[in-house]
Amino acid sequence: MSPTPPKGLSRLAFGGDYNPEQWPESVWQEDVRLMREAGVTMVSVGIFSWALLEPERGRYDFGWLDRVLDLLHAHGIRVDLGTPTVAPPAWFYRAHPEALPVTADGVRHTYGSRGAICHSSPAYREAAARITTELARRYADHPALALWHVHNEYGVPVSACYCDGCAAHFRRWLDDAYGSVEAVNEAWGTAFWGQRYGSYEEILPPRTTPTVGNPAQRLDYRRFADATLRENFRAERDILHELSPGVPVTTNFMTALSQCDSIDYWAWGREVDLVTNDHYLITDGRRTHVNLAMAADLTRSVAGGAPWLLLEHSTSGVNWQPRNPAKRPGEMARNSLAHVARGSEGAMFFQWRQSRRGAEKFHSAMVPHGGTDTRIWREVVELGAGLGALEEVRGSRTVPDVAMLWDWHSWWAQGLEWRPNEAHDARERADSFYETLYDRHLTVDFAHPEADLSAYPLVVVPALYLMTEAAGQNLREYVENGGTLVVSYFSGIVDEHDAVHPGAHPGALRDVLGLTVDEWSPLLDHQRVGITGPGGAALTGDVWTESVRPRGAETVWTYADGPAAGGPAVTRNRLGRGTAWYVSTRLDAASLDAIVGAAAEDAGVPGRTGLARDVEVVRRAGAHGHYVFALNHTAAESEVPLDGPGTELLEGARVTGRLTVPAGAVRVVRLDG
């Protein structure tokens, strides 16, 4: 994938959402002066401005936006210009109340927030196309325009509507996907519970039912809702491509698995000219910098390994969690540069100036309520200078070590009701496997299960309940050709319609793993199992056990107790030139590290024992050289070994074989040669 960078932007992007309409024009001059002081290179404008730009149907007021863009251009600041279609005006909803979305319980949302949209609504689609066309005609040739920003965070807060209009749209989508109602019946298994349909007109969205509804229908509705959002994005994108050629078009993703679960970003990544992402730290008691790294790696992977752009994050605390701690001194820069290390071409924020009114007035900003005599402002200015010193990394690519498989469709399917153990969570397994790899100082690419995996010596599969036959064959070929695979339990169970693969579990993975599973034996809350292995070593599992029958695989670790006592817990299957490991229980962190370590040894992936825990080292490589990003998330100074001498870009100092990184600091080295 070859992304199209923001037009005319020759430096790393630095800035944020700029909402001048919230302030009198007398503040605008101060804004651009401070932007220059901070080293701002680009701002996002107009994302929530539909009611100001079109105060009534067909009457437009672009004067204020003309003045804003002209002012920014005069001060050398590029513009990411939004189509404001995430927030239709009040007059639109008064004329078209049917465009407000309906919940599965039949409750219609009301106006007064953002993103309250039925994306199947013809009236909404027409109005969105109209305002997008007017913006493109007016600003296509504006000298400040660097990037078009369609809508905002598709899928947040409403991803699906269940109204009658969506029902009709869903039927059309099904006909396109399946071709006949008989094919729908087959895919959904409607013979169960007598749910067979005689015509499309009988099919409704999966609204609230007395007990569990049809899981295949619900899975397809997730796909339909995602496809409908993407259809609307493409409509706006195509208008912009036609009327504003040469200017890339994006929309801001939210790839963090904790922040948006309704979008298939593998599909969306193919639709944008530049992948962009929003990321906010989630305060849930875990190491937030690990979740940040995971989100950045996933975003880069959605971009096909190419450079991408962090379009939003926060300078300090957010305002929408139960508890919103401030970032500690230096954390803002460390967060920002962690994204850059993992492929972002800059660091943008929500927002430039902290609001005095509205729902997000306590969300941090580049210019806080306290103005320039604040720690946040001083750190913003320092970060701007640091990003300026890293200009040469633009266009380089992050160097991965291993891959992890992830599929949103599988996540959707596994999240439906009536699974063997509700304590089994696909995201938790992904987080745990990722954290294990992170603590081994390995940089992770994410990959779709049917993607080419030949570049990776080690591939981990933390939770892929849904797996196509093609994906299973892909993994078999990967191992046969010399790859090392690690698969966690409850993977490969169903096909794309949530139908169990014929034969014994684990379905699509039986051959590559060299085993079958006779029965799952989920554990009760607080129940643990012991596992013994080579030399009497002990592991601990919970949540899940299985009765595993090797059919070519060797038993490496054995259940010492629990429902599967005496049976295989962890197996290894040598197939062709490679090896496939299977883990049939949920291991704790230390136990999982032991298994991943053994698989990494099989794969020839070297350990990086010279690095301290929570000292993050990531490499980027490009035409101008090889770069080492060292981020110290600890409270103590740390030493990082280097492959040779080089120049530290943030301080401008020469370094040799070892790099000293102060507590909480970041260093970036361009290696010689």
Side-chain angles (χ1 to χ4, degrees):
M1 180 183 294
S2 298
T4 305
K7 182 180 179 181
L9 185 62
S10 59
R11 296 170 288 171
L12 293 175
F14 179 58
D17 283 34
Y18 182 39
N19 298 293
E21 63 270 29
Q22 297 180 15
W23 303 91
E25 289 199 32
S26 59
V27 177
W28 299 359
Q29 291 292 337
E30 180 187 18
D31 282 333
V32 293
R33 178 182 65 81
L34 292 177
M35 288 179 190
R36 292 290 297 272
E37 180 180 333
V40 166
T41 61
M42 186 169 75
V43 293
S44 301
V45 176
I47 296 169
F48 296 99
S49 301
W50 195 344
L52 294 176
L53 295 171
E54 189 180 9
E56 59 185 59
R57 177 184 169 89
R59 182 171 71 83
Y60 301 99
D61 179 5
F62 294 114
W64 68 273
L65 187 56
D66 291 346
R67 296 192 295 277
V68 168
L69 267 59
D70 290 347
L71 181 63
L72 292 167
H73 175 64
H75 288 79
I77 299 164
R78 308 296 292 161
V79 171
D80 165 38
L81 185 56
T83 67
T85 51
V86 71
W91 60 257
F92 170 79
Y93 287 119
R94 185 180 181 189
H96 299 285
E98 77 283 358
L100 288 162
V102 174
T103 69
D105 293 329
V107 176
R108 189 176 294 279
H109 289 285
T110 58
Y111 176 76
S113 181
R114 69 171 195 180
I117 299 164
C118 168
H119 280 267
S120 295
S121 164
Y124 169 75
R125 292 181 169 205
E126 187 274 334
R130 190 173 64 247
I131 187 64
T132 299
T133 299
E134 294 296 328
L135 282 165
R137 286 172 175 165
R138 190 170 189 92
Y139 297 111
D141 297 320
H142 196 285
L145 182 62
L147 185 66
W148 284 106
H149 181 308
V150 171
H151 204 266
N152 184 72
E153 296 176 347
Y154 277 100
V156 179
V158 177
S159 60
C161 171
Y162 297 82
C163 71
D164 289 342
C166 285
H169 190 188
F170 183 43
R171 295 176 194 120
R172 294 192 297 272
W173 183 86
L174 289 171
D175 192 36
D176 289 340
Y178 291 103
S180 70
V181 73
E182 290 78 13
V184 174
N185 281 316
E186 175 64 23
W188 289 2
T190 57
F192 186 80
W193 279 0
Q195 295 173 353
R196 186 182 181 280
Y197 297 102
S199 69
Y200 284 118
E201 287 65 33
E202 296 171 2
I203 299 176
L204 296 172
R207 296 165 177 159
T208 302
T209 51
T211 186
V212 173
N214 187 312
Q217 178 186 16
R218 292 185 60 193
L219 178 58
D220 263 350
Y221 205 76
R222 295 290 293 265
R223 292 170 171 144
F224 158 74
D226 175 58
T228 301
L229 298 176
R230 200 159 61 248
E231 185 178 319
N232 285 357
F233 166 76
R234 283 197 298 263
E236 293 189 44
R237 179 203 62 192
D238 292 350
I239 291 169
L240 297 169
H241 278 168
E242 178 183 357
L243 299 178
S244 184
V247 180
V249 180
T250 192
T251 186
N252 45 338
F253 296 168
M254 295 192 77
T255 62
L257 301 183
S258 55
Q259 292 170 14
C260 184
D261 67 353
S262 59
I263 301 296
D264 176 6
Y265 286 117
W266 292 127
W268 282 78
R270 298 188 292 268
E271 301 289 353
V272 296
D273 299 322
L274 174 67
V275 167
T276 61
N277 194 54
D278 297 352
H279 182 267
Y280 294 97
L281 300 181
I282 301 298
T283 307
D284 60 2
R286 288 181 291 181
R287 298 149 71 201
T288 56
H289 56 277
V290 179
N291 175 266
L292 184 156
M294 184 176 179
D297 282 345
L298 183 51
T299 306
R300 181 187 68 254
S301 302
V302 166
W308 54 281
L309 178 59
L310 175 66
L311 207 52
E312 287 185 27
H313 72 315
S314 66
T315 58
S316 190
V318 297
N319 73 314
W320 36 263
Q321 298 182 80
R323 294 169 180 82
N324 297 286
K327 292 186 178 180
R328 294 162 293 176
E331 189 175 1
M332 175 182 66
R334 203 163 61 249
N335 289 168
S336 300
L337 295 177
H339 285 286
V340 174
R342 295 177 185 274
S344 177
E345 298 283 73
M348 305 277 284
F349 294 91
F350 180 85
Q351 59 180 325
W352 165 250
R353 185 179 286 274
Q354 194 168 14
S355 299
R356 291 185 57 230
R357 299 175 176 84
E360 293 187 286
K361 56 182 171 290
F362 297 126
H363 190 294
S364 61
M366 299 175 76
V367 182
H369 290 144
T372 58
D373 188 20
T374 57
R375 175 180 65 85
I376 286 180
W377 173 253
R378 289 188 288 273
E379 291 192 13
V380 163
V381 173
E382 183 178 357
L383 176 60
L387 288 170
L390 299 181
E391 178 182 321
E392 66 180 79
V393 307
R394 290 177 70 245
S396 63
R397 295 193 174 208
T398 300
V399 180
D401 297 303
V402 298
M404 177 183 291
L405 299 193
W406 182 258
D407 180 26
W408 276 274
H409 294 238
S410 179
W411 192 19
W412 298 342
Q414 189 174 301
L416 297 172
E417 298 94 340
W418 289 8
R419 301 312 187 210
N421 191 343
E422 66 179 15
H424 170 51
D425 181 348
R427 180 200 155 198
E428 183 278 330
R429 283 294 80 193
D431 286 346
S432 295
F433 270 87
Y434 183 90
E435 190 165 4
T436 297
L437 296 168
Y438 179 96
D439 283 341
R440 288 183 161 268
H441 304 285
L442 299 174
T443 301
V444 178
D445 268 358
F446 285 81
H448 187 275
E450 296 180 17
D452 180 5
L453 303 172
S454 59
Y456 306 104
L458 176 65
V459 172
V460 299
V461 183
L464 276 177
Y465 160 77
L466 182 153
M467 183 177 289
T468 63
E469 289 286 355
Q473 181 62 27
N474 186 46
L475 294 185
R476 180 187 175 100
E477 292 174 1
Y478 165 75
V479 173
E480 287 177 331
N481 290 326
T484 300
L485 181 71
V486 181
V487 177
S488 187
Y489 64 92
F490 206 47
S491 293
I493 306 304
V494 300
D495 66 12
E496 60 269 32
H497 303 300
D498 197 44
V500 174
H501 284 290
H505 302 312
L509 293 170
R510 282 192 304 264
D511 292 343
V512 69
L513 296 176
L515 55 82
T516 58
V517 174
D518 287 347
E519 190 174 25
W520 301 311
S521 298
L523 302 178
L524 303 178
D525 288 349
H526 311 301
Q527 192 176 0
R528 303 286 184 272
V529 291
I531 301 165
T532 57
L539 307 179
T540 302
D542 66 1
V543 171
W544 194 278
T545 63
E546 296 179 342
S547 296
V548 174
R549 183 179 300 184
R551 298 185 184 276
E554 62 175 305
T555 299
V556 185
W557 298 78
T558 302
Y559 286 111
D561 52 34
V570 178
T571 62
R572 176 170 54 187
N573 188 43
R574 301 187 187 279
L575 183 67
R577 293 186 286 113
T579 304
W581 290 75
Y582 184 59
V583 183
S584 67
T585 184
R586 190 178 82 166
L587 297 174
D588 62 22
S591 302
L592 184 59
D593 179 70
I595 301 303
V596 170
E601 186 175 343
D602 274 353
V605 176
R608 291 176 180 149
T609 56
L611 295 173
R613 189 174 192 256
D614 291 325
V615 173
E616 185 175 335
V617 176
V618 185
R619 292 161 174 79
R620 285 182 67 154
H624 298 294
H626 287 71
Y627 304 91
V628 176
F629 285 72
L631 304 101
N632 187 352
H633 299 284
T634 78
E637 179 179 282
S638 189
E639 295 288 317
V640 173
L642 299 173
D643 294 335
T647 301
E648 202 290 310
L649 299 178
L650 296 175
E651 300 288 325
R654 290 288 298 169
V655 294
T656 53
R658 296 190 72 81
L659 172 68
T660 299
V661 186
V666 180
R667 295 292 181 262
V668 183
V669 176
R670 181 186 63 239
L671 297 173
D672 293 347

